[in-house]
Amino acid sequence: LVTSLRQAKEAAEAINRERSAFLARLDYDVRNPLNAIIAAGEILREALADRPAAANDANTIVRAGRRLLARLNILLDSAKIEAGMLALQPEPFSLDTLFDDVLSEIAPLIRHNHNRLEIERPPQLGLIVADLNRLRQVLIHPLRFAAANTHRGAVTVNARRQTAAERGELLEVTISDTGSTLDVSHIQTLLKPFAILPTDAHRINEGQGLALSRQLCELMGGSFSIDPRPPQGIICTIRIPIMLSSETDEPVSLPRQLPPPDLVIVTATDGRALQSALEQVGWLVQRESSLAEAIARLRRPPAALLIDLPPDRAPVEAMLRSAGWDAIPVIWLSNTGASDSGITSALWPGDPAAVIQTVRIALPRLQPAANVILVIEDEAPTRLMIRRALESEGWRVVEAGNSATGEMIWRSANPAVVILDLILPDGDGLALVQNVRQTMATPVIVVTAKPLRYDELNTLANIGAVVLQKGRFRRSDLLELVRKLAR
């Protein structure tokens, strides 16, 4: 009996190892070529802009590729969760910022079917410690389904913090719609990974992510349910612990995957519009709901702060001194203009150009770096796609297919930005960055298909590298990031 049990255990472990290897190979062998096809389609679409029919055909390739990639991502993530291979990366972040971003993304899809979006939430939802990207997925998939399920109706999002007797403080989100009502068996199928729904293709495409949302929610210690909502529609209820149950009393210090911003905005009025205007000029801008959150979230202080002018500046200035930020230039935002000539102020809300001019005086722009981008990537098709994307915006691109050549060019050419993969034929890309970082502060964008461990993410965050996962970003995302970093 003991021998049989040992053999069964060894067989199960072998199956798990084979499944893990298969998922890793599928992730790399399918996602990378598909990402290259999408990038090639985008390049063709731009090159054929003067031939509408051909450009439309290229756009069809891009759309089909993105649909297939989205479906592949869902299937791979679901399979990784079932295999116990998907690890969460918890970090503290603002729920208000997350909801602003998610609702801004979903609003065009809701309007497409002539629906209205109704939002019910408190003025401040505060902070949560969770995996930011995974919580975003949990919210996006039911919102997409509600938008597809409803025509000329309403999608309502209600978010609040609540306290449960046994589970502590929770984030509770309900998403309801006035679309068609689903029966219980249909809902159960929606929440089952890899299930094929017996309905129209559009509903299948949008409903595939619901099972992944449930899996991710449960992985984060929460719950996810969908119920009929007679006479019309369904209601999705999401509950997530504000703090992960496995946390200790130690303070949370987890990696961010963005470089420190030039500017931090803390304003209650039209913050998104001001952020957009400043980013178009070329600054890297972060918007926070409070100065306390900005101080808590940033590893290093920004170059300048833009803060609503309070009746009494003393508490704000005391907070800055306590954080060691008292030397950071502060631009006080006022809707009437400041009467104190001893401070730097800007009229806001108002003309963004006036705020930009004030920021330029307080924070002179750095001299533009050389117009050279170094791409270190062993896959020739990927290098070609990145090169063409960058050259279409006027960048000069130099390439290296391995670590040794990449380091030589990096040190001699002093590029504005380095884009590299972590998996290189003659070495580890992470070791390369750490080595060069000792003497050079070049902005780095890591573009990789490698699933990163927590310690690798932490190392990259500490040296200021930005991480983009292959197959999970758009060409425009890379170009925008290069523009922001190459200053």
Side-chain angles (χ1 to χ4, degrees):
L1 179 60
V2 174
T3 302
S4 298
L5 290 174
R6 185 175 63 251
Q7 291 174 342
K9 180 176 180 293
E10 291 173 353
E13 290 173 347
I15 291 172
N16 282 334
R17 286 194 299 270
E18 291 175 0
R19 179 168 55 181
S20 298
F22 171 75
L23 287 173
R25 188 169 63 252
L26 184 66
D27 198 341
Y28 186 83
D29 291 348
V30 177
R31 202 198 304 265
N32 278 1
L34 186 55
N35 194 46
I37 291 170
I38 293 169
E42 290 178 334
I43 292 171
L44 281 173
R45 182 178 59 194
E46 293 185 4
L48 298 170
D50 57 343
R51 298 167 57 188
N56 186 60
D57 291 341
N59 196 44
T60 299
I61 296 173
V62 174
R63 289 199 309 269
R66 291 205 176 280
R67 282 197 300 270
L68 182 56
L69 183 60
R71 184 172 297 186
L72 176 66
N73 288 336
I74 289 171
L75 293 175
L76 285 173
D77 284 346
S78 287
K80 287 176 182 178
I81 292 173
E82 289 203 339
M85 295 171 55
L86 195 147
L88 297 175
Q89 302 292 343
E91 62 176 320
F93 60 89
S94 167
L95 283 169
D96 299 282
T97 302
L98 172 64
F99 271 89
D100 286 346
D101 292 342
V102 168
L103 294 174
S104 176
E105 178 179 338
I106 206 69
L109 298 176
I110 291 176
R111 289 195 299 268
H112 180 73
N113 283 342
H114 307 285
N115 297 314
R116 64 183 185 277
L117 176 61
E118 298 177 352
I119 304 168
E120 301 169 4
R121 58 188 260 204
Q124 293 288 333
L125 282 167
L127 290 174
I128 187 173
V129 176
D131 188 314
L132 172 60
N133 292 326
R134 297 305 182 182
L135 182 53
R136 184 180 178 279
Q137 282 182 282
V138 169
L139 298 172
I140 279 288
H141 292 306
L143 281 167
R144 285 183 176 276
F145 185 76
N149 189 51
T150 309
H151 298 266
R152 300 186 184 277
V155 175
T156 302
V157 180
N158 183 301
R160 61 174 182 158
R161 297 170 78 106
Q162 68 169 15
T163 301
E166 298 179 355
R167 304 177 63 186
E169 197 173 14
L170 299 173
L171 167 68
E172 182 180 87
V173 181
T174 59
I175 301 168
S176 58
D177 63 57
T178 58
S180 56
T181 300
L182 305 179
D183 58 43
V184 175
S185 63
H186 197 156
I187 291 173
Q188 289 175 344
T189 305
L190 279 170
L191 297 179
K192 184 178 180 181
F194 316 115
I196 300 297
L197 301 177
T199 184
D200 61 275
H202 185 60
R203 180 81 61 81
I204 290 174
N205 287 336
E206 298 299 344
Q208 279 196 331
L210 293 174
L212 176 60
S213 287
R214 179 187 64 79
Q215 289 177 294
L216 289 170
C217 198
E218 292 174 354
L219 189 64
M220 289 188 279
S223 62
F224 183 100
S225 63
I226 297 178
D227 298 290
R229 185 172 175 260
Q232 281 187 305
I234 58 174
I235 181 168
C236 173
T237 303
I238 300 166
R239 293 187 178 91
I240 298 286
I242 295 294
M243 299 291 285
L244 294 180
S245 58
S246 60
E247 287 186 344
T248 67
D249 293 332
E250 294 297 318
V252 177
S253 178
L254 295 165
R256 296 179 57 82
Q257 295 190 39
L258 291 176
D262 298 317
L263 306 173
V264 167
I265 299 173
V266 181
T267 180
T269 310
D270 294 339
R272 186 182 295 276
L274 181 57
Q275 178 182 10
S276 176
L278 292 166
E279 287 180 336
Q280 288 176 17
V281 176
W283 284 298
L284 186 61
V285 183
Q286 186 164 318
R287 182 166 46 90
E288 297 289 353
S289 59
S290 70
L291 178 59
E293 285 193 13
I295 292 172
R297 295 183 62 187
L298 290 174
R299 293 176 179 268
R300 297 189 293 274
L305 291 159
L306 288 80
I307 307 175
D308 282 340
L309 179 63
D312 182 7
R313 301 198 315 272
V316 176
E317 292 169 345
M319 187 181 299
L320 291 172
R321 284 195 299 273
S322 177
W325 287 21
D326 47 318
I328 305 302
V330 176
I331 299 168
W332 300 98
L333 303 175
S334 170
N335 59 1
T336 59
S339 57
D340 188 344
S341 59
I343 64 173
T344 303
S345 64
L347 183 64
W348 186 261
D351 183 2
V355 181
I356 290 169
Q357 183 60 31
T358 304
V359 174
R360 279 181 167 149
I361 295 171
L363 179 69
R365 288 286 304 275
L366 299 175
Q367 291 297 318
N371 197 32
V372 174
I373 310 294
L374 170 60
V375 179
I376 307 174
E377 165 67 65
D378 62 318
E379 292 185 349
T382 302
R383 287 203 309 271
L384 178 62
M385 298 308 160
I386 294 176
R387 167 188 281 277
R388 287 182 174 173
L390 293 169
E391 288 179 341
S392 71
E393 293 215 342
W395 299 104
R396 187 162 65 88
V397 181
V398 292
E399 300 178 10
N402 57 58
S403 177
T405 304
E407 181 173 359
M408 180 188 66
I409 297 174
W410 191 340
R411 293 186 183 279
S412 60
N414 191 22
V417 175
V418 172
I419 301 172
L420 84 157
D421 193 358
L422 294 182
I423 304 174
L424 297 170
D426 61 338
D428 178 15
L430 181 56
L432 169 62
V433 176
Q434 290 177 298
N435 185 31
V436 178
R437 246 312 178 259
Q438 295 177 17
T439 56
M440 301 180 70
T442 314
V444 173
I445 302 173
V446 172
V447 178
T448 186
K450 177 184 177 182
L452 298 176
R453 302 188 309 271
Y454 174 82
D455 60 312
E456 293 173 322
L457 284 169
N458 197 32
T459 299
L460 288 167
N462 285 333
I463 60 180
V466 184
V467 179
L468 296 177
Q469 284 287 337
K470 286 183 178 178
R472 294 184 183 270
F473 68 93
R474 295 175 182 269
R475 176 173 175 270
S476 58
D477 297 332
L478 177 62
L479 293 175
E480 181 181 1
L481 193 53
V482 169
R483 286 195 295 268
K484 288 180 178 180
L485 296 179
R487 298 189 309 277

